[in-house]
Amino acid sequence: MNEELKKLLDSIKAKKQEVKDLCKAGKIEDAANAKEELKNLQAQFDLIYDLEQDALNNAQQQAEKGTAKKIVDQTKKAADAFVNAVKAMVGKGDLSEDDKEILNSMNEGSDEDGGLTVPQDIRTKIRELRRSEDALETLVNVERVSTLSGSRVIEKHADQTPFDNIDEAAEFPEAPTPQFEKLDYKVKKKGGILKITQELLSDTAENIIGYLKKWIAKKAKATRNFMIIAKIREITKDAEVPVAGLDDLKRIFNILLDPAIALSACVVTNQDGYNWLDTLKDKDGKYIIQPDPTKPMSMLLFGKYPIKKISNKTLPSTKTEGGYKVPIICGDLKEAITIFDRETLTIDISNTAGKLWETDQTGIKVRERLDIQSVDEEAVIMAEHLIEASDGGTTVASLEPEEKETYTQAEIGEMTKANILALGTQLGYTMTTTETNTKEQIVADFMAQQAAAQGA
C-alpha cells in the first residue's frame, strides 16, 4: 500500500471515531455530516486503490513477459559489479570483463572524481533511508541539478498595488513591472571516511551494500540537517523573536508571517522547545498542542501548525547568562530554503592511506555534491524562549557551543563528541571521524582540520 492510501486509511479511521464520539455526545446532526465526509473519504480510497491495483496488474503482466525480470537482473548485476569493484580496489578479488563494462556504462557522464560511482538503485535506497523522521530535508525545497553551478531567477514579493481606474476609450497606464532577483548556486563537495574491517569485505554482497547504505544515509542526513539549521540561523541572525507565552506565539503567525506563508507554516523545535510548548495551556486549561485528527502520531500547535520535534544534538539550545534559549522555528521552510542536489555519490577506497594498513582496516571515502541557498528570508522566523537555569530541562551537553575563529585543544576537549562533530560540520570542516571513534581521535581530527583551514 502506497503512502497516499495509508494516509487516507488513517483519515477514515479517525473519521469513524469522530462519528461515534458525536453520537455519544448526542450531536446527531454533526454526526450525520461527519458520516457524509466519511463516505467521501471511503470513495476516494476505493478509487485510488483500484488505480493501484491496475498498476500492479500491469506490472505482473510485464513480469510474465520478462520485462520486470530484466530490470531486476540489471539492477542486481550493477550492485554485484559495484561490490566486486570495492573488493578489487583493496586486492580482494578481480574484476571480470562484464563487471568492467557495467561500471564503465555507470560512469558515463559522471563527474571526474577518480572514484567509483554508486549505482542508481543503491543511491535511491540511500535517499529513502536518509529521509527518516528526524530529517529536515523533507521540510525544505530540494531541486535536483545536473550542473556544478548555475542560477535561478525568482520574483520578489510584489507590492499590493491595485490597477488604476481607466475611462472608456482611454489609454492604459503602464503598470509597475515585476521585480526579479538572481539566485546563484555552486555545488560543494561534502564527504567523510568510513573505516571498515577486512572481515566485512569478505562478507556477502548484500551485507556489504546494506552496511554502506545505512552509513552513507546517516551521514548524508546529518550533513543536510546541519546545513539547513546553519542556513536558518544565518538568515534569522539578529532578528530572533523572544517569546514568553501564547500571545507571543500567536503574534508570529498572525502578524509577523505573511498570511500566504502562515497557511503552509509549521513549527520545528528541539526537545527543550517541545517540552515547553507541551506544557502551555489556554484559558480553559487545555493544552495547546493536540494530535492531528488525520495523523494521530502527529501534533498540531493551535490546531493548525504541524510540529516537528528533533534532537537537542541536532538543534542545540543556546546557553545564555542565567539560563538558556530554546529555538522555535516558525514558517514555511520550502519557501525559505532550497537545496540544490547534484545527486552523485562517488567513493574512493584504500587500505594503505594513513594508519589503515597498521590497523588492518579499509577506508571508504564517500563524496557527494550539493549546495543550499535561502530563497525567501521572510518565510521563516526564529523564535526563542528563555528558560531560567533553575527551571531545569536541558543539560550542558545539549547546548550549542559558542562559535569562534580558533579553538584551543583544551576547549575542544571539554565538549562532547557529538558537539565537536557538530561544530566541525558548522565550520565547514571535512571531519573524518564519527561518534564511533574515541574522543581523543575526534579532538585530534578537529584540531587537524582547524590547522588545515587556517593554512598552518
Side-chain angles (χ1 to χ4, degrees), residues 16 62 95 108 122 127 214 217 220 239 261 270 326 339 350:
K16 285 181 179 179
Q62 286 185 340
L95 272 179
E108 289 178 0
I122 298 178
R127 191 190 304 100
K214 289 180 181 178
I261 297 296
N270 63 5
V326 297
I339 291 178
S350 175

Side-chain angles (χ1 to χ4, degrees), residues 45-102:
F45 179 90
D46 293 340
L47 287 171
I48 295 176
Y49 181 81
D50 289 342
L51 289 175
E52 188 181 60
Q53 286 299 111
D54 290 342
L56 182 61
N57 292 335
N58 289 335
Q60 290 174 344
Q61 290 174 6
Q62 286 185 340
E64 292 172 1
K65 296 177 181 178
T67 306
K69 185 177 186 300
K70 289 179 183 177
I71 295 174
V72 172
D73 289 344
Q74 290 171 357
T75 300
K76 188 175 187 307
K77 285 180 180 179
D80 289 343
F82 171 71
V83 173
N84 291 338
V86 170
K87 292 183 176 182
M89 292 176 79
V90 288
K92 287 289 183 180
D94 297 319
L95 272 179
S96 67
E97 291 301 320
D98 289 342
D99 287 341
K100 291 178 182 178
E101 184 177 345
I102 293 172

